[in-house]
Structures are given as structure tokens and as C-alpha cells.
């Protein structure tokens, strides 16, 4: 095999002239490409594209969060049923992909790029990712995104799964699509254990749907019951609400298990970064209510306000009539003035005599 060796002068020329030139050229070429990308802003060319861009634009009151449901490289039958039933519970605001995704690996560096791409493509801020392996069987990862970047993650294992079909109940009381749920978190772990507190926040975000200010009692037909069995295990059950007569204006409530029901075993979780959390929690200035001065609210009396009345200057107030006592005061003042003049005159005469 022939080998080629550079002379000392050629190697010096390569190191001193050629390589710096290529580095300089590559550096400035990168700057030009980056500057072009920053200036090249795509504008919508049709009304449909314009409406899609406006729909994704920031709003003072955001729309309901959409959930993206994904499958990993390998999933079990139990996990497939879990993902399907979560999709049915959130059918009005969820997107489900049935293909396997080999590139998605949460909690790993570089394994979240495809997940963020799908979040941007479908405009979803919540995701549920299912995978199955020998180390972590029936694994479910629930997470949230901010600006289509991973915000936080919670990984749980699914045990003792019970589907909707296995529950026997009257189909008339089945929860309707778009109805609002109640949430019942039972156990001190949801207030004391960091993992369960994080799981509580994610489950509330996942199943509560659109945030509304007013509710109709007929629209509340389900309740999610989460019971903390230990510091790492949570019993999750969906129950339907049955309203019965109680003889009063408040109906009697009964819970009927309609499924799904499963046990969540908390495995891993990742809290959001403090700087990212601070940015995500910002509130628009238009939504901040200005504080009302001298106003307080009471649960019984309602809104209470204080009114400050300035002191009334009664002496300077103009009267609509002249009192009769003024004439008498004038006579007394006149008589008093004449007496003072007479006393001054006598005093003057006395001074002249003595002089």
C-alpha cells in the first residue's frame, strides 16, 4: 500500500494558510445561514392556513389542553387497553397514534426530540406514552409540555387493570363525552409525599378538561377517585354519579363504578426547572385584577366597603335666612362702642389737665 507524506514546508503551509481559511469560511457561512433563517418568516398563503396560525397564537384565555397518546417500541395487551380507554375518556380533546415509536425515550437525553416534534405537529400540551419492557412492565409516562418543550414527567406502572367492559351497570348513567368531573384524592400522601403531589397535579391537568366558571348540576356525571394506599401506590377508579331524591333541595349522591380501574405504582418523576416554571406561571397584565381600596369580602355578608366622610364645616356654611338675633347683637356692639369712645375721651381730658 502506497503512503503519501507531506514535506515540512507543505504541512506548514496547510496549517498556516489553508486550514484558517476554511475555518473562517465555515464560520461566516454558518452566520449567514442563521441570519437567513431568522429573517425567513413563513406567512400563510391561504385563509385556512391563516386560521390555523391564529388558532395556535397565544391568547388571554387559552383553549382546553389536548392530549397526545403514543405507543412505544413494545406494548402489552393491558397497556393497549389502558391507552384506548384513556382515549375514550378524552375523545373530545385527544389525538391517538397507533404506530410504534422507536425514537421516543422519556427521561433520556436526546430521546425526547421526536416527542416534542409530535407535540408541535398536533398542538398538544399533554401526552401519555405507553411502553413495556422486562425492567419496567406496563409502563405509563404522563407528561406536560410548555411551548412544545418537555415541562415535567411522571412515570407509573399499571397493575390490577379493570376495563369498562368488565363493569356491570345501567348504561343510562354512563358518563357523557364533554361532561365535567369531580376529583376525590383520599390519603395524606397527596399532601406530604413529593411524588404523589406531583402525580396529583398531572392527573388533574389530564382529566379536568376545559376550565369553566359556571357549571350545571346535570353536567356533573362522573368522579375520579384516587386513593393513596402507600407512598408509591395509588388506586385509580372512575365512578358515575347517580342523583336520587332526598326530600330536600340537595339530592342524594350515589357512586357507581363504571371503570376503568387500576393501580398506579410511582416509579420515576421529573419536576420542572425553576426558571421554566416561573415563565410558564406568568399571567398577562390584562388578567390581573386591580386591588380595590377600602373593600373587603366576607363569606356571610359579601362585599363590605368603607366610606370616609370629611368633617363638615358648619360654622362657615351659608344660611338661607338671617336670624333675628343679629339686630340685638348689633345694638349691643354699638352701645359697647359708644361707651369705649366716652371712656377714651375722659381719659384724654384727664391727661391734658395733668399736663
Amino acid at each position: 500500500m502506497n503512503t503519501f507524506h507531506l514535506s515540512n514546508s507543505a504541512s506548514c503551509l496547510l496549517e498556516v494558510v489553508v486550514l484558517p481559511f476554511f475555518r473562517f469560511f465555515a464560520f461566516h457561512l454558518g452566520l449567514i445561514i442563521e441570519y437567513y433563517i431568522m429573517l425567513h418568516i413563513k406567512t400563510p398563503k391561504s385563509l385556512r392556513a391563516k386560521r390555523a396560525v391564529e388558532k395556535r397564537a397565544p391568547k388571554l384565555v387559552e383553549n382546553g389542553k389536548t392530549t397526545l397518546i403514543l405507543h412505544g417500541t413494545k406494548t402489552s395487551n393491558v397497556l393497549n387497553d389502558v391507552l384506548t380507554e384513556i382515549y375514550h375518556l378524552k375523545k373530545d380533546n385527544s389525538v391517538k397514534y397507533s404506530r410504534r415509536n422507536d425514537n421516543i425515550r422519556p427521561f433520556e437525553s436526546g430521546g425526547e426530540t421526536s416527542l416534542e416534534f409530535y407535540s408541535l405537529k398536533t398542538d398538544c400540551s399533554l401526552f401519555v406514552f405507553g411502553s413495556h419492557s422486562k425492567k419496567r412492565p406496563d409502563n405509563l409516562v404522563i407528561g406536560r409540555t410548555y411551548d412544545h418543550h418537555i415541562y415535567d414527567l411522571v412515570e407509573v406502572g399499571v397493575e390490577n387493570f379493570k376495563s369498562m367492559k368488565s363493569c356491570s351497570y345501567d348504561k343510562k348513567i354512563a358518563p357523557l363525552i364533554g361532561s365535567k368531573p369531580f376529583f376525590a384524592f383520599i390519603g395524606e400522601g397527596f399532601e406530604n409525599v413529593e411524588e404523589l403531589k406531583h402525580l396529583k397535579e398531572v392527573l388533574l391537568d389530564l382529566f379536568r378538561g376545559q376550565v369553566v366558571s359556571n357549571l350545571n348540576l346535570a353536567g356533573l356525571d362522573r368522579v375520579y377517585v384516587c386513593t393513596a394506599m402507600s407512598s408509591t401506590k395509588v388506586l385509580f377508579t372512575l365512578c358515575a354519579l347517580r342523583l336520587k331524591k332526598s326530600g330536600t333541595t340537595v339530592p342524594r349522591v350515589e357512586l357507581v363504578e363504571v371503570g376503568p380501574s387500576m393501580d398506579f405504582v410511582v416509579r420515576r418523576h421529573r419536576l420542572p426547572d425553576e426558571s421554566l416554571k416561573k415563565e410558564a406561571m406568568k399571567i398577562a397584565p390584562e388578567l390581573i385584577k386591580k386591588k380595590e381600596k377600602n373593600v373587603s369580602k366576607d363569606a356571610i355578608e359579601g362585599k363590605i366597603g368603607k366610606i370616609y366622610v370629611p368633617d363638615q364645616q358648619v360654622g362657615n356654611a351659608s344660611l338661607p335666612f338671617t336670624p333675628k338675633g343679629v339686630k340685638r347683637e348689633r345694638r349691643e356692639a354699638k352701645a359697647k362702642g359708644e361707651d369705649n369712645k366716652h371712656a377714651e375721651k375722659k381719659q384724654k381730658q384727664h391727661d391734658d389737665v395733668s399736663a
Side-chain angles (χ1 to χ4, degrees):
M1 183 176 178
N2 297 328
T3 58
F4 178 74
H5 298 281
L6 291 173
S7 62
N8 293 333
S9 60
S11 61
C12 291
L13 181 65
L14 181 65
E15 292 179 359
V16 174
V17 179
V18 180
L19 290 180
F21 173 75
F22 276 107
R23 291 194 190 101
F24 177 81
F25 178 75
F27 175 74
H28 284 79
L29 181 62
L31 290 179
I32 293 171
I33 294 173
E34 185 178 356
Y35 182 71
Y36 174 76
I37 292 173
M38 291 174 63
L39 292 180
H40 185 65
I41 301 173
K42 292 184 178 181
T43 57
K45 298 180 180 180
S46 63
L47 292 176
R48 182 179 179 183
K50 185 178 180 180
R51 288 194 296 269
V53 171
E54 291 177 351
K55 186 178 180 182
R56 294 192 178 193
K59 306 177 183 63
L60 291 178
V61 180
E62 293 289 344
N63 302 328
K65 295 184 178 181
T66 310
T67 305
L68 177 63
I69 300 174
L70 296 167
H71 293 258
T73 306
K74 183 181 178 182
T75 54
S76 62
N77 293 330
V78 173
L79 206 56
N80 290 335
D81 294 340
V82 171
L83 295 176
T84 302
E85 299 210 354
I86 291 177
Y87 172 69
H88 285 305
L89 292 176
K90 297 178 60 63
K91 199 169 185 178
D92 55 336
N93 52 4
S94 62
V95 178
K96 186 175 184 295
Y97 285 172
S98 58
R99 288 187 178 182
R100 308 295 177 184
N101 297 277
D102 300 334
N103 299 327
I104 298 178
R105 292 181 180 87
F107 296 98
E108 295 183 12
S109 59
E112 301 170 351
T113 307
S114 298
L115 187 59
E116 293 176 353
F117 169 75
Y118 288 132
S119 174
L120 177 62
K121 181 181 178 181
T122 57
D123 193 21
C124 294
S125 54
L126 291 164
F127 66 88
V128 179
F129 177 76
S131 62
H132 178 75
S133 63
K134 184 177 180 181
K135 185 178 180 181
R136 293 184 177 89
D138 298 329
N139 198 51
L140 205 64
V141 179
I142 308 172
R144 297 179 287 182
T145 62
Y146 172 72
D147 196 16
H148 305 297
H149 294 286
I150 301 299
Y151 181 73
D152 60 352
L153 296 169
V154 174
E155 185 182 62
V156 295
V158 178
E159 296 179 355
N160 303 326
F161 174 71
K162 186 178 180 182
S163 64
M164 297 180 183
K165 297 179 182 179
S166 60
C167 298
S168 59
Y169 58 92
D170 188 3
K171 302 303 178 182
K172 294 181 180 180
I173 64 171
L176 302 176
I177 297 176
S179 60
K180 301 299 293 183
F182 282 112
F183 290 90
F185 292 94
I186 304 171
E188 296 181 355
F190 291 111
E191 302 296 332
N192 302 329
V193 183
E194 189 67 29
E195 291 82 359
L196 297 186
K197 288 171 65 176
H198 191 197
L199 179 63
K200 176 183 176 181
E201 293 179 6
V202 174
L203 290 177
L204 281 173
D205 237 0
L206 180 64
F207 291 108
R208 69 177 178 178
Q210 178 68 36
V211 179
V212 295
S213 56
N214 296 323
L215 282 175
N216 187 359
L217 187 61
L220 298 168
D221 58 357
R222 69 179 79 179
V223 55
Y224 291 98
V225 182
C226 301
T227 307
M229 308 300 292
S230 65
S231 60
T232 58
K233 192 171 184 178
V234 175
L235 174 62
F236 177 85
T237 309
L238 174 62
C239 298
L241 292 177
R242 179 181 290 176
L243 304 179
K244 292 191 173 183
K245 295 181 180 180
S246 62
T248 61
T249 56
V250 181
R252 184 166 60 90
V253 179
E254 289 186 358
L255 299 182
V256 180
E257 184 179 352
V258 296
S261 174
M262 65 195 89
D263 294 346
F264 287 149
V265 180
V266 181
R267 290 172 178 166
R268 290 183 293 178
H269 79 114
R270 189 175 75 190
L271 294 172
D273 186 59
E274 289 298 329
S275 59
L276 183 63
K277 184 177 180 180
K278 186 177 180 180
E279 184 180 355
M281 293 295 179
K282 283 184 180 179
I283 302 175
E286 293 83 358
L287 298 178
I288 299 176
K289 293 183 179 179
K290 293 184 179 180
K291 185 178 179 181
E292 296 181 276
K293 294 182 179 180
N294 305 324
V295 174
S296 61
K297 292 184 179 180
D298 191 0
I300 300 175
E301 298 182 4
K303 196 173 183 180
I304 303 173
K306 295 180 180 180
I307 300 175
Y308 292 93
V309 180
D311 296 336
Q312 297 181 359
Q313 303 295 333
V314 181
N316 299 333
S318 59
L319 301 177
F321 61 95
T322 303
K324 294 182 179 179
V326 173
K327 294 182 180 180
R328 179 172 56 83
E329 291 176 359
R330 288 178 180 175
R331 289 195 299 268
E332 292 177 354
K334 187 177 180 181
K336 187 177 180 181
E338 291 178 353
D339 294 340
N340 291 338
K341 288 180 181 180
H342 186 68
E344 290 176 359
K345 188 176 180 180
K346 283 186 175 181
Q347 182 67 27
K348 187 177 181 181
Q349 292 176 357
H350 178 72
D351 294 339
D352 292 341
V353 172
S354 61

